[in-house]
Structure formats: C-alpha cells, structure tokens
Amino acid sequence: MKLLSVIVPCFNEEETVADFYEEFIKNKAFFDSRDLDYEVIYVDDGSKYKTKDEIRKLHERDEKVHMVSFSRNFGKEAAMYAGFQHAKGDYVVTMDVDLQDPPALLPEMFSYIDQGYDSVATRRVTRKGEPPIRSFFARRFYHLINRMSKTEIVDGARDYRLMTRPMVDAILSMKEYNRFTKGIYGWIGFETKWLEFENVERQKGETKWSFWKLFLYALDGIVAFSTVPLGFASVLGILFCIVSFILIVAIVIKTLVLGDPTSGWPSMVCIISLISGVQLLCLGIFGQYLSKTYLEVKDRPIYISKEEF
Ligand code: UDP
Ligand code: MG
C-alpha cells in the first residue's frame, strides 16, 4: 500500500480547515480503488488558537489528520518546508486550505504520475476575481524574473503540486533560509506535467497576502534566483565612464577653441545628483544580497514548531 501525504499550510483559517477536509475526503473512493493510504498534515503557521482547535477536532475524528504548529508566523514557505519534512508519503501534494486548489483534481493528477511523470503541477490560466492591479504586477514580475534567472518560473503557477518521493527528497536537500519554492521546483528539474485550470475564488475568509507582502516576496524571489541585479553596477559604471570620457574630450576641445567663460554650475549639480543616485541604487542592490547572505550565514532554523501530533 502506498501513502499520499497532503501538506496544507494554514494561517488563521478556522473557517476553512474543516471544509477542506470534507472536500478532500470525497476522493476516498478513488484512494481505495488504487490501494492508496493518506495522511493530511495541517501546518499551522502561528494562527490564533481557533485554527488549532479545528485541526484537533478533525484529528479526533480521523487519526490520519496531523498537525505541526509553529511558535509564531514563519510564512507559507516555511510551512511548506515543515510539511515536506514531516511527510512520510511515497507521494506528496501541497494544497491551500481555502479550496482554491480543488482536491477534485487529484485523480487526474495521479493519472499523469502513472504515465511516468515525477510531478504534476497546476497553473491557473485566468486571474478572475483578483484585483486588476495585482494581476498586472504579477505578470510583470514573472516576465522580469524569467528574463533575469536561468531557472524557469512559470506564470500563474500555484503551489498545488503532486510529487513523487525522489522529488520531495530533492526539495528537502535545499536547506536555504530564504525559500522561494516556485524557484526551487524549477531549479531541481524533474519531469513535470502542467495542468491548467480556471482561477477558483477563495471560499471563506480573506487572503493573507497584502500587496506589500507580495511585493517583498517578489523581491525575495528575484534575489534568491538571479544574480543579474548585481551586474547592474558594472554595466552602469562602464556606461558612465564612456559618457564621461566623451564629455571630457568635448569640453577640452571646446575650452581650447572658445576660451573658458565660467558656466555650467546647474548642469554640474544635476550630474552629481544623478551619479550619486545611481551609486546609492547599486549600493542598495548589493545590500539586498548582503542581507540575504547574512541571514543564510546565521543558519537559523527555518521554523520552530511548538506542538505536533
Ligand atoms: N498561509 C500561510 N502563512 C502565511 C500566509 C498564508 O500558511 O503567512 C497559507 C494560507 O493559510 C493558505 C495559503 O497559504 O492556505 C494561501 O494563502 P491565501 O489564500 O491567503 O493566498 P492567495 O490564495 O490569496 O494567494
Ligand atoms: Mg487563497
């Protein structure tokens, strides 16, 4: 008998925890038909007590429901990592608890695993129900990161993904502190089948991602999977050297031919502020990478769990 581990990160999701289980368990007949056992691992990412109580209730009903509870909110990436560490399954699937990742897709996903794929991933082809400004910036982000990084990061990819054990072990072997799972999946490779589905809106509760949180997450993703920004300084430096050289030659010639009436004070100020701006920008980019390196070097744990069953 094979085992399927389901990893479900939850952050203040008392409204959806039970609904998720109900929806997931509708696949029971399918699991029985292929002699598949299951375990559901809810990773409580530092929610208020209510979410934990809901998970405890489910555990009393079905001992195959487990929980890893964090000491505080460590973020979804940390929650997924904890899930991977605790999953014992031959197959592992990660899903959102808000039913935006329909559990009804599981049988279809397994049909591709049977065809020999290492992983079946999902992407939404529409962003229906999402604020247009958010969709716009999301698209720009994917465009940018794919130009800057050799690792392919798929637009619209959800964290809903079914994987076989070797792939899970590969993910676990990447122990970085600054985790960007979408990039990690691309980096480790493996044969992946992409399933497309229309965006499903959240059933209950509210999104836990503010625009600002998403923006910082996008920056983290770029820093984690591309070193292109570090090259900006060199490119701009070369460009400014060439321009200044041409200007110097022009000014020398002009002075020799026309004499040297004192002028150019405003233009000097403009040039100085432009170049200091560029220098600070480059310093800021270095700072980003330095701070990430700093956090990696500290080697802190990715999460701290307070309670498990
Ligand atoms: N989540 C989490 N930690 C966080 C934020 C979110 O574990 O700090 C979980 C959340 O409970 C949900 C999933 O990540 O299961 C996706 O979150 P949400 O639905 O709020 O994001 P959206 O679908 O709007 O992108
Ligand atoms: Mg959601």
Side-chain angles (χ1 to χ4, degrees):
M1 201 172 201
K2 298 256 178 147
L3 176 68
L4 166 69
S5 303
V6 187
I7 299 171
V8 199
C10 313
F11 178 45
N12 293 339
E13 298 279 6
E14 62 272 6
E15 291 170 290
T16 50
V17 163
D19 292 358
F20 174 84
Y21 178 80
E22 296 304 337
E23 198 60 34
F24 168 76
I25 211 65
K26 286 186 187 158
N27 287 309
K28 185 85 173 62
F30 165 73
F31 294 156
D32 290 343
S33 76
R34 57 177 291 150
D35 205 19
L36 190 68
D37 201 5
Y38 68 89
E39 58 171 0
V40 181
I41 305 169
Y42 284 101
V43 185
D44 159 46
D45 187 8
S47 316
K48 306 229 171 58
Y49 58 92
K50 280 195 214 136
T51 304
K52 272 174 274 182
D53 292 345
E54 288 295 323
I55 301 172
R56 235 173 249 124
K57 272 189 226 158
L58 285 175
H59 177 67
E60 278 156 23
R61 252 172 71 188
D62 181 351
E63 58 177 20
K64 289 173 185 166
V65 172
H66 301 278
M67 179 179 80
V68 180
S69 179
F70 289 178
S71 59
R72 66 167 169 87
N73 180 245
F74 279 87
K76 188 182 176 188
E77 292 289 341
M80 288 201 286
Y81 183 72
F84 284 127
Q85 278 191 329
H86 286 79
K88 297 184 205 72
D90 307 282
Y91 308 106
V92 174
V93 64
T94 48
M95 276 182 187
D96 283 3
V97 70
D98 58 5
L99 294 175
Q100 281 189 295
D101 299 331
L105 276 180
L106 277 173
E108 191 186 348
M109 291 169 105
F110 268 103
S111 73
Y112 290 107
I113 293 284
D114 293 341
Q115 283 176 27
Y117 285 101
D118 302 302
S119 137
V120 184
T122 57
R123 60 185 288 260
R124 39 180 190 175
V125 280
T126 59
R127 286 177 173 272
K128 186 167 60 80
E130 200 184 56
I133 181 121
R134 184 182 276 207
S135 307
F136 173 77
F137 279 104
R139 292 240 155 77
R140 299 316 312 154
F141 163 70
Y142 283 108
H143 186 72
L144 187 72
I145 196 166
N146 278 310
R147 292 194 61 173
M148 294 204 313
S149 173
K150 288 196 199 89
T151 307
E152 201 205 351
I153 294 163
V154 178
D155 185 4
R158 293 201 52 88
D159 289 326
Y160 185 15
R161 193 186 269 256
L162 176 64
M163 288 155 271
T164 51
R165 184 39 66 180
M167 186 156 169
V168 176
D169 289 339
I171 295 167
L172 284 172
S173 74
M174 298 186 67
K175 296 190 170 28
E176 60 224 67
Y177 181 79
N178 299 287
R179 300 188 76 77
F180 185 67
T181 308
K182 289 190 172 89
I184 291 178
Y185 291 143
W187 194 90
I188 57 175
F190 290 91
E191 203 82 49
T192 300
K193 169 77 190 170
W194 285 92
L195 283 187
E196 297 188 343
F197 69 94
E198 301 254 321
N199 189 32
V200 183
E201 284 184 49
R202 183 179 248 282
Q203 296 273 311
K204 289 177 188 166
E206 268 171 19
T207 175
K208 305 294 176 295
W209 295 87
S210 62
F211 188 80
W212 180 240
K213 217 171 154 187
L214 274 178
F215 179 73
L216 293 180
Y217 182 60
L219 279 190
D220 281 352
I222 292 174
V223 175
F225 279 91
S226 169
T227 49
V228 169
L230 283 175
F232 280 166
S234 324
V235 174
L236 285 175
I238 293 169
L239 224 78
F240 273 96
C241 285
I242 295 171
V243 172
S244 338
F245 187 74
I246 295 169
L247 283 177
I248 289 167
V249 172
I251 287 170
V252 167
I253 293 171
K254 189 178 153 237
T255 313
L256 287 177
V257 176
L258 300 175
D260 182 23
T262 314
S263 69
W265 164 243
S267 50
M268 190 64 101
V269 172
C270 293
I271 291 168
I272 290 176
S273 46
L274 171 71
I275 296 181
S276 358
V278 170
Q279 282 179 335
L280 284 178
L281 174 74
C282 294
L283 212 64
I285 294 172
F286 287 154
Q288 280 293 319
Y289 283 88
L290 183 68
S291 68
K292 297 290 169 200
T293 315
Y294 176 59
L295 288 172
E296 279 316 327
V297 168
K298 279 192 179 182
D299 203 20
R300 285 183 179 164
I302 294 167
Y303 65 90
I304 291 173
S305 92
K306 200 170 71 176
E307 190 188 348
E308 293 175 15
F309 53 70

